Amino acid sequence: MGQAFFSIFGYSFINLTYLMMRKFFLSTMVLVLLALPTCQVQKLRLKQQYRQLNELVHREAQKDSIPFIKCHLQNGGVVVFQKNWHLDTAAAEISGQGRYFDFNRERLKEGFLRVGMDSVALYEANRLEPGLESRRLAGLMILSSLNIAGTIFCAHNPKACFGSCPTFYTGPGKSVHEAAAEGFSRAIFPSLAYADVDDLDTVTTGKSFSLYMKNEALETHVVRDAALLAIPCKKEEQIYQSPQDDFYAGSRPQAPSKALSAEEGSILQAIRAVDDKAYFSPADGHNLYSPEELLLELPLPAESGDSLGLVLDFRQSLMTTYFIYSALSYMGPEASDYLSQREIANQKQALGRLAILKKLGGIEVSVYKAREESWKKLGNFYETGPIAINRQVLPFAQPDQEGPIRLKLRLNRGLWRINRVGLTRLDRVVKPEVVKPRAVRRAGVKATKELRLLQDSTEQLISWPGQTRRLEYQLPSEAPAYALFLRSEGYYLEWMREQWLADQDLLKLRQMMKNPEAYLREEAQPYKRYEEHMEEVFWSSQVKPNALSHYENP
């Protein structure tokens, strides 16, 4: 999920004075901004003493000298243990020399303190100290100021760093470009956890099946479920998933006979098949909110009935990643304070539901009604994530007219990549069978405890950067063939990059949250500078296997 560099060389005295006054104004406005009702949560007024301490622990953390942990409490307070703290997993508490700040960041206590783990909404630390891999902590832990091997590619382009949530593969040696699914991409902290369904684009006649689940980013993945949805299918039959996660059996999709873009003309070759080609239009350099329309003509499938479906294979660009990383960097050292308040309020209107993403929208589909000579909206496609290709179907009734079906796609420039468009006949609704893993392996060794976590809906499995797991499934024996989908549930926590901590801009954060129209205009040029190199940086900055080798034992 750009930076602006300013030079005062050659400025007039008036301009120089303005810049100095603006800098003073921005620094003094921090307290006011944090008191404003951003995202309609409780007010948070960071006092100067707390801010100074916060900046100190992050600055010292970057020197690898002082391990710290911040405990954001359910009552809105914060306890900062800067050094000499101890984690007692048996007593479920953290103790040591610390400072306790109330909701308004007034210091209440200093000295030896104890914090019960059940009272904490979110943790922040700068090191993986012994004991922090405990699931009770790791599932609520934001790690800051960390630099590990493999991040050099994004050091100078931090808003293009690789970020993925869990990635799933059907083979051990497949590259990230061959990922079959990426799970719960928009669940960027606990209150946004959800169950995500992805088409694995796989039909199997065997009774055993394996998936490889990887953590390839600087993130903590908290996985509550990774079940197969197996649907019996006949020969030559296709199984499709709708945006509402309903399932249909139908025919193979037929490619469009015409596909036009106003700027590029015919785009037919780019969207006829799932291959290394895709339709993509770069972002507008003047306004990142810049919708375009694609006009399609599709022949009716053979023996078409009352119900048709538009099949779309698509994924997002890196624009959403850029916005999420920008929001985190605007928060700077106060990111954990901001996110913890969303958790305490248990609201789903923060980063995961940014007004800016709602403004940009999904891929809207309309059908042309010849008799009325007008377009009728059918629905939308929307899936977060730039890695795995999504395949979904949008059902609709066959128009009462002859000839090919005319459809219109409306989408924002620079946000979507479309690999394939097709029209299918939908024959019937089908129901999946849920198949839980029967084994989990790490480095070829059975991880019995992790299997129990994935089989128990009340538990959660923690995945660290660089870890790979093989999930093994036993399919039912009733049907000769099954189409497979993946249902993954959970959330993930981004680790704060060192570069983000120095890029704090609360004015920009508030503009993003409260005035997305202005933000999308002003951010167009910075984004265009990133867009040129984002793909190269993103795909080159995966976290390598065994990046945290001391957590690799099953």
Side-chain angles (χ1 to χ4, degrees), residues 42 71-79 100-105 108 118-121 341 344:
Q42 303 175 51
C71 303
H72 295 269
L73 307 181
Q74 296 284 357
N75 64 9
V78 174
V79 175
Y100 178 29
F101 297 85
D102 68 7
F103 180 80
N104 292 319
R105 298 310 181 253
L108 297 182
D118 289 338
S119 67
V120 179
Q341 289 302 305
I344 293 169

Side-chain angles (χ1 to χ4, degrees), residues 277-515:
K277 299 177 183 178
Y279 174 73
F280 172 75
S281 58
D284 190 307
H286 302 287
N287 190 343
L288 294 180
Y289 175 64
S290 180
E292 64 172 331
E293 293 182 346
L294 308 180
L295 299 177
L296 311 171
E297 281 193 6
L298 298 105
L300 285 171
E303 302 178 1
S304 59
D306 294 333
S307 186
L308 300 174
L310 177 67
V311 179
L312 206 66
D313 291 73
F314 66 100
R315 60 187 173 96
Q316 286 190 329
S317 71
L318 296 175
M319 185 180 284
T320 299
T321 301
Y322 177 87
F323 290 142
I324 292 176
Y325 285 2
S326 293
L328 291 170
S329 68
Y330 296 153
M331 297 174 196
E334 276 82 52
S336 62
D337 295 88
Y338 187 94
L339 296 176
S340 67
Q341 289 302 305
R342 274 78 210 154
E343 285 305 295
I344 293 169
N346 195 28
Q347 294 195 19
K348 298 191 177 183
Q349 302 300 321
L351 280 179
R353 305 283 186 174
L354 279 174
I356 196 170
L357 301 183
K358 183 177 180 180
K359 176 70 176 177
L360 295 176
I363 302 174
E364 181 182 292
V365 182
S366 299
V367 62
Y368 186 72
K369 310 286 286 186
R371 291 185 178 181
E372 293 84 358
E373 297 183 344
S374 63
W375 293 94
K376 178 185 177 183
K377 181 179 175 180
L378 297 177
N380 286 277
F381 292 98
Y382 190 94
E383 278 287 329
T384 309
I387 298 176
I389 296 174
N390 305 286
R391 184 180 70 156
Q392 296 182 357
V393 67
L394 188 65
F396 65 98
Q398 180 175 331
D400 187 14
Q401 61 192 55
E402 296 182 356
I405 304 295
R406 295 176 61 189
L407 296 173
K408 177 172 64 177
L409 306 184
R410 190 174 189 271
L411 61 158
N412 196 69
R413 287 182 173 87
L415 181 57
W416 300 100
R417 297 181 183 276
I418 299 178
N419 289 79
R420 180 179 64 167
V421 179
L423 192 65
T424 182
R425 179 190 73 248
L426 298 182
D427 297 325
R428 68 186 193 281
V429 176
V430 292
K431 298 292 184 181
E433 299 183 49
V434 179
V435 183
K436 294 276 192 176
R438 69 166 182 174
V440 176
R441 295 181 187 271
R442 297 207 5 231
V445 180
K446 282 191 175 182
T448 307
K449 292 181 180 179
E450 294 190 352
L451 175 63
R452 288 200 297 266
L453 296 178
L454 287 180
Q455 290 179 336
D456 186 343
S457 60
T458 65
E459 293 287 354
Q460 54 193 29
L461 183 152
I462 305 298
S463 177
W464 297 101
Q467 290 186 339
T468 296
R469 292 169 172 84
R470 174 173 169 162
L471 310 181
E472 300 176 357
Y473 303 86
Q474 183 69 38
L475 297 174
S477 57
E478 289 78 9
Y482 284 94
L484 300 180
F485 297 76
L486 172 69
R487 185 185 69 195
S488 58
E489 182 176 357
Y491 63 92
Y492 63 101
L493 296 171
E494 289 282 357
W495 292 11
M496 292 294 292
R497 278 63 160 178
E498 186 176 316
Q499 295 86 351
W500 294 351
L501 299 174
D503 199 25
Q504 186 179 43
D505 191 336
L506 296 176
L507 285 174
K508 206 70 174 175
L509 175 65
R510 179 163 177 79
Q511 184 189 51
M512 174 187 274
M513 297 291 188
K514 292 297 184 179
N515 191 0

